[in-house]
Short mmCIF file of all heavy atoms in Angstrom, two decimals:
data_model
loop_
_atom_site.label_atom_id
_atom_site.label_comp_id
_atom_site.label_asym_id
_atom_site.label_seq_id
_atom_site.Cartn_x
_atom_site.Cartn_y
_atom_site.Cartn_z
N GLN A 680 40.33 -15.03 75.12
CA GLN A 680 39.80 -16.11 75.94
C GLN A 680 38.29 -16.26 75.76
O GLN A 680 37.56 -15.28 75.68
CB GLN A 680 40.12 -15.85 77.41
CG GLN A 680 39.69 -16.99 78.34
CD GLN A 680 40.12 -16.75 79.77
OE1 GLN A 680 40.97 -15.90 80.03
NE2 GLN A 680 39.55 -17.50 80.70
N ILE A 688 29.13 -22.74 83.55
CA ILE A 688 30.45 -22.81 84.17
C ILE A 688 30.48 -23.83 85.31
O ILE A 688 29.64 -23.81 86.20
CB ILE A 688 30.89 -21.43 84.68
CG1 ILE A 688 31.09 -20.47 83.49
CG2 ILE A 688 32.18 -21.53 85.48
CD1 ILE A 688 31.44 -19.06 83.88
N THR A 689 31.43 -24.72 85.22
CA THR A 689 31.73 -25.68 86.27
C THR A 689 33.24 -25.89 86.26
O THR A 689 33.95 -25.30 85.45
CB THR A 689 30.96 -27.00 86.07
OG1 THR A 689 31.13 -27.83 87.22
CG2 THR A 689 31.41 -27.73 84.82
N ASN A 690 33.77 -26.72 87.15
CA ASN A 690 35.22 -26.77 87.32
C ASN A 690 35.98 -27.40 86.16
O ASN A 690 37.11 -27.02 85.87
CB ASN A 690 35.57 -27.51 88.61
CG ASN A 690 35.26 -26.68 89.84
OD1 ASN A 690 35.23 -25.46 89.79
ND2 ASN A 690 34.99 -27.35 90.96
N TYR A 691 35.35 -28.39 85.50
CA TYR A 691 36.09 -29.17 84.50
C TYR A 691 35.31 -29.28 83.19
O TYR A 691 34.07 -29.30 83.19
CB TYR A 691 36.40 -30.57 85.03
CG TYR A 691 37.27 -30.55 86.26
CD1 TYR A 691 36.71 -30.78 87.52
CD2 TYR A 691 38.63 -30.29 86.16
CE1 TYR A 691 37.51 -30.76 88.66
CE2 TYR A 691 39.42 -30.26 87.30
CZ TYR A 691 38.87 -30.50 88.54
OH TYR A 691 39.65 -30.46 89.66
N ALA A 692 36.07 -29.39 82.10
CA ALA A 692 35.47 -29.54 80.78
C ALA A 692 36.08 -30.74 80.07
O ALA A 692 37.28 -31.01 80.18
CB ALA A 692 35.69 -28.28 79.94
N LEU A 764 43.75 -25.81 74.96
CA LEU A 764 44.30 -25.16 76.15
C LEU A 764 44.29 -23.64 76.01
O LEU A 764 44.19 -22.92 77.01
CB LEU A 764 45.72 -25.65 76.39
CG LEU A 764 45.84 -27.15 76.73
CD1 LEU A 764 47.30 -27.55 76.88
CD2 LEU A 764 45.06 -27.48 77.99
N VAL A 766 41.86 -22.05 74.34
CA VAL A 766 40.44 -21.70 74.50
C VAL A 766 40.06 -21.69 75.98
O VAL A 766 39.30 -20.84 76.44
CB VAL A 766 39.56 -22.70 73.72
CG1 VAL A 766 38.09 -22.51 74.07
CG2 VAL A 766 39.75 -22.51 72.21
N LEU A 767 40.61 -22.64 76.73
CA LEU A 767 40.32 -22.77 78.17
C LEU A 767 41.64 -22.68 78.94
O LEU A 767 42.08 -23.66 79.56
CB LEU A 767 39.62 -24.10 78.46
CG LEU A 767 38.28 -24.33 77.75
CD1 LEU A 767 37.85 -25.78 77.89
CD2 LEU A 767 37.22 -23.40 78.30
N PRO A 768 42.30 -21.52 78.95
CA PRO A 768 43.62 -21.41 79.57
C PRO A 768 43.60 -21.50 81.09
O PRO A 768 44.60 -21.88 81.70
CB PRO A 768 44.12 -20.03 79.11
CG PRO A 768 42.86 -19.25 78.88
CD PRO A 768 41.86 -20.24 78.37
N HIS A 769 42.51 -21.11 81.70
CA HIS A 769 42.40 -21.14 83.16
C HIS A 769 41.01 -21.67 83.53
O HIS A 769 40.04 -21.48 82.80
CB HIS A 769 42.58 -19.74 83.75
CG HIS A 769 43.82 -19.04 83.28
ND1 HIS A 769 45.08 -19.43 83.64
CD2 HIS A 769 43.97 -17.98 82.44
CE1 HIS A 769 45.98 -18.64 83.06
NE2 HIS A 769 45.33 -17.76 82.33
N GLY A 770 40.91 -22.31 84.67
CA GLY A 770 39.60 -22.73 85.12
C GLY A 770 38.91 -21.62 85.89
O GLY A 770 39.57 -20.66 86.27
N PRO A 771 37.64 -21.78 86.18
CA PRO A 771 36.80 -22.84 85.61
C PRO A 771 36.19 -22.42 84.26
O PRO A 771 35.95 -21.24 84.07
CB PRO A 771 35.70 -23.00 86.68
CG PRO A 771 35.58 -21.64 87.31
CD PRO A 771 36.96 -21.03 87.25
N PRO A 772 35.95 -23.42 83.36
CA PRO A 772 36.34 -24.81 83.52
C PRO A 772 37.75 -25.06 83.00
O PRO A 772 38.18 -24.44 82.04
CB PRO A 772 35.30 -25.55 82.66
CG PRO A 772 34.98 -24.58 81.57
CD PRO A 772 35.10 -23.20 82.15
N ALA A 773 38.44 -26.00 83.63
CA ALA A 773 39.74 -26.44 83.16
C ALA A 773 39.55 -27.67 82.28
O ALA A 773 38.72 -28.54 82.58
CB ALA A 773 40.64 -26.79 84.35
N ALA A 774 40.30 -27.73 81.18
CA ALA A 774 40.17 -28.86 80.26
C ALA A 774 40.72 -30.13 80.91
O ALA A 774 41.89 -30.20 81.28
CB ALA A 774 40.92 -28.56 78.97
#
Side-chain angles (χ1 to χ4, degrees):
Q680 184 175 345
I688 294 177
T689 188
N690 287 335
Y691 299 103
L764 295 177
V766 170
L767 300 168
H769 309 290

